[in-house]
């Protein structure tokens, strides 16, 4: 993909990429997740949350499902806040790229801040995954790992 189409480089009109560089990538949602990269950045990757029905096929108890739902909700809210901050940095980059005089130090700083925000999003995803796995029994954890290695079973 060329400059301006979706990464963090100058866009067609001189600002950051058209798609802002955010979207699907490591994070939350159906096996893939929200995070850096829809049209640039990380790209598609394994999700940390496995969609709205994380644990389907694991025979979760009502208590387990409630606890997992809470972790997912908290993580989603955290990610929304981080994505808001990333989009603010993208707007800053746009303005820096459109400024009459280029400020390389400020542009570099904005890119570094986006990287930090992306890392925080990844870190919260990993922590959420660990917390959800800790709720599972040993048998459920093994079933989950088997599912990850083989992929979802075909529908019957």
């Amino acid at each position: 993909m060329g400059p301006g189409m979706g990464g963090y480089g100058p866009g067609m009109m001189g600002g950051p990429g058209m798609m802002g560089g955010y979207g699907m990538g490591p994070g939350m949602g159906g096996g893939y997740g929200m995070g850096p990269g829809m049209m640039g950045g990380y790209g598609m990757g394994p999700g940390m949350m496995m969609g709205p029905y994380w644990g389907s096929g694991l025979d979760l108890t009502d208590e387990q499902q409630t606890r997992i739902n809470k972790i997912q909700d908290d993580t989603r809210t955290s990610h929304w806040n981080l994505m808001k901050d990333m989009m603010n940095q993208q707007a800053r980059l746009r303005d820096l790229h459109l400024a009459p005089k280029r400020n390389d130090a400020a542009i570099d700083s904005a890119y570094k801040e986006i990287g930090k925000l992306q890392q925080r999003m990844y870190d919260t995803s990993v922590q959420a995954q660990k917390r959800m796995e800790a709720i599972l029994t040993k048998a459920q954890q093994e079933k989950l790992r088997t599912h990850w290695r083989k992929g979802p079973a075909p529908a019957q």
Side-chain angles (χ1 to χ4, degrees):
M1 183 172 301
M5 293 307 291
Y8 296 117
M12 292 191 321
M13 302 307 258
M18 284 191 316
M19 300 309 286
Y22 306 121
M24 300 302 286
M28 297 170 47
Y32 294 92
M34 292 307 294
M38 185 163 100
M39 293 300 215
Y42 296 149
M44 299 295 282
M48 301 307 266
M49 305 304 254
M50 303 294 286
Y53 304 107
W54 190 92
S56 64
L58 295 178
D59 300 320
L60 298 175
T61 66
D62 289 342
E63 180 192 359
Q64 285 175 312
Q65 188 65 66
T66 298
R67 290 173 64 194
I68 287 169
N69 288 348
K70 171 86 168 95
I71 292 168
Q72 288 180 320
D73 292 345
D74 291 348
T75 304
R76 183 185 65 249
T77 300
S78 170
H79 283 194
W80 283 344
N81 290 328
L82 291 168
M83 286 187 284
K84 176 189 69 139
D85 293 343
M86 282 191 278
M87 293 184 81
N88 287 338
Q89 287 299 318
Q90 279 291 49
R92 181 173 169 227
L93 277 173
R94 176 203 59 217
D95 294 344
L96 289 167
H97 281 288
L98 292 173
K101 185 174 181 191
R102 184 179 174 105
N103 182 337
D104 291 338
I107 291 170
D108 185 57
S109 173
Y111 279 119
K112 286 178 181 177
E113 183 60 29
I114 289 169
K116 289 176 187 175
L117 292 165
Q118 290 173 332
Q119 184 64 48
R120 285 178 51 200
M121 185 175 284
Y122 172 78
D123 291 343
T124 59
S125 294
V126 170
Q127 290 306 314
Q129 181 70 33
K130 289 178 181 179
R131 289 173 46 213
M132 289 188 297
E133 285 185 32
I135 293 168
L136 303 177
T137 65
K138 296 288 183 202
Q140 289 169 324
Q141 289 174 4
E142 183 55 36
K143 191 172 185 181
L144 183 62
R145 280 193 252 310
T146 301
H147 173 79
W148 281 345
R149 283 193 300 263
K150 295 180 181 177
Q156 296 185 8

